[in-house]
Amino acid sequence: MAKKKLAEYRAKRDFEKTAEPAGKTAVRAAEYPRFVIQKHDATRLHYDLRLEVDGVFKSWALTKGPSLDPHDKRLAVEVEDHPLDYGDFEGTIPKGEYGGGTVMVWDRGFWMPEGNKPAAEQLRDGELKFVLAGHKLKGGWVLVRMKGDRYGGKRNNWLLIKHRDEWAKTGDADKLLKKDRSAASGRTLGQIARGEGKAPQSFMLAKSRTKLTKPDAVWHSDTAESEEQAPPRRARARKTA
Ligand code: MN
């Protein structure tokens, strides 16, 4: 299944030249699906949001990055599925290769869809409500697919919007993006580009993830509807980064 889904990912890359994973490493299921946001200093700086769904990372390029302000709807361009071991990739893709530039694991953690419909079904329907439990991003979010253009263009443009909850920050604009060290290695983009410092600790292959927040601990509780759908409560998430 994952093999077919990754055909486009593999076709775009020459694994003799790039250090990106070919997606051959088996990654076991975790207690929750995982997510990662990679800061990618390519031709144009952007952030790649990846959500684990059915054995691959569904992926979107955030041209301006995420915002904690529910008023800031951020363009999220759907791109090809990525292999799960891509979630540990931090390094530099050589110039001239696809996506050439430096990649930082900007945030990572667990996520879960809201409601009773599976994530894949919500994505097919063009609206995914979900909860993130990362280091930098927490709480409720929604991805909404924009209507296709009238010329029948591919409908791959989505909007990523922060849900109003205790982790939302009105007026925050891009302040969040100033948190600019790797969630995996603590390195800056410059340090990664120069090959300095330690490579990130594996998240996708790690056996123990006890230090991570569970997504049902950051479930927002501001509407009756979400109360209804909320899974059993656990301890409140700590607000540390
Ligand atoms: Mn990218």
Side-chain angles (χ1 to χ4, degrees):
M1 186 76 148
K3 220 178 203 174
K4 198 177 159 197
K5 288 181 184 173
L6 293 175
E8 187 182 348
Y9 170 86
R10 293 197 174 113
K12 285 180 167 171
R13 290 166 178 82
D14 180 349
F15 297 105
E16 304 267 298
K17 292 181 179 158
T18 179
E20 293 165 285
K24 301 246 161 86
T25 307
V27 175
R28 268 186 298 173
E31 50 272 59
Y32 291 93
R34 291 150 286 205
F35 85 93
V36 59
I37 296 183
Q38 280 156 321
K39 185 173 180 178
H40 188 180
D41 188 13
T43 312
R44 282 186 66 176
L45 180 79
H46 61 274
Y47 294 73
D48 291 298
L49 167 66
R50 311 192 194 284
L51 301 176
E52 180 181 354
V53 179
D54 299 338
V56 293
F57 272 127
K58 303 305 286 182
S59 297
W60 293 261
L62 307 172
T63 52
K64 292 175 72 184
S67 171
L68 294 181
D69 188 337
H71 300 104
D72 285 336
K73 297 172 177 161
R74 292 291 161 95
L75 178 65
V77 181
E78 190 177 348
V79 298
E80 77 274 18
D81 295 347
H82 279 52
L84 291 182
D85 49 349
Y86 205 94
D88 286 332
F89 178 68
E90 190 167 89
T92 297
I93 302 166
K95 260 194 187 146
E97 294 306 302
Y98 182 75
T102 303
V103 176
M104 169 203 281
V105 177
W106 185 75
D107 199 11
R108 64 184 183 180
F110 294 120
W111 78 281
M112 60 192 270
E114 290 193 34
N116 301 319
K117 274 204 277 176
E121 199 181 322
Q122 293 191 44
L123 287 172
R124 250 195 326 273
D125 294 346
E127 184 173 315
L128 173 67
K129 288 184 176 157
F130 61 105
V131 174
L132 293 177
H135 297 274
K136 296 183 175 84
L137 301 189
K138 286 186 169 66
W141 296 77
V142 62
L143 270 167
V144 188
R145 187 166 51 214
M146 296 163 81
K147 298 260 185 295
D149 67 55
R150 68 176 102 178
Y151 310 105
K154 217 178 150 200
R155 294 162 69 206
N156 59 355
N157 285 350
W158 300 63
L159 294 172
L160 175 71
I161 309 162
K162 180 74 193 83
H163 187 92
R164 286 163 210 283
D165 60 17
E166 61 191 289
W167 286 277
K169 280 194 188 135
T170 302
D172 197 66
D174 292 325
K175 248 184 258 170
L176 170 73
L177 304 182
K178 292 189 179 131
K179 292 188 177 179
D180 203 23
R181 282 181 181 269
S182 165
S185 69
R187 297 184 293 176
T188 62
L189 261 182
Q191 287 173 315
I192 296 165
R194 293 188 296 272
E196 295 170 8
K198 267 195 258 172
Q201 285 197 319
S202 174
F203 174 50
M204 303 309 295
L205 302 175
K207 283 195 183 111
S208 170
R209 301 182 187 85
T210 48
K211 282 182 192 155
L212 280 159
T213 308
K214 309 295 183 200
D216 48 5
V218 296
W219 198 273
H220 57 84
S221 55
D222 57 335
T223 66
E225 185 194 42
S226 62
E227 282 292 358
E228 245 169 58
Q229 298 170 342
R233 286 196 165 269
R234 296 193 189 171
R236 303 298 296 176
R238 285 171 298 135
K239 283 200 176 181
T240 51

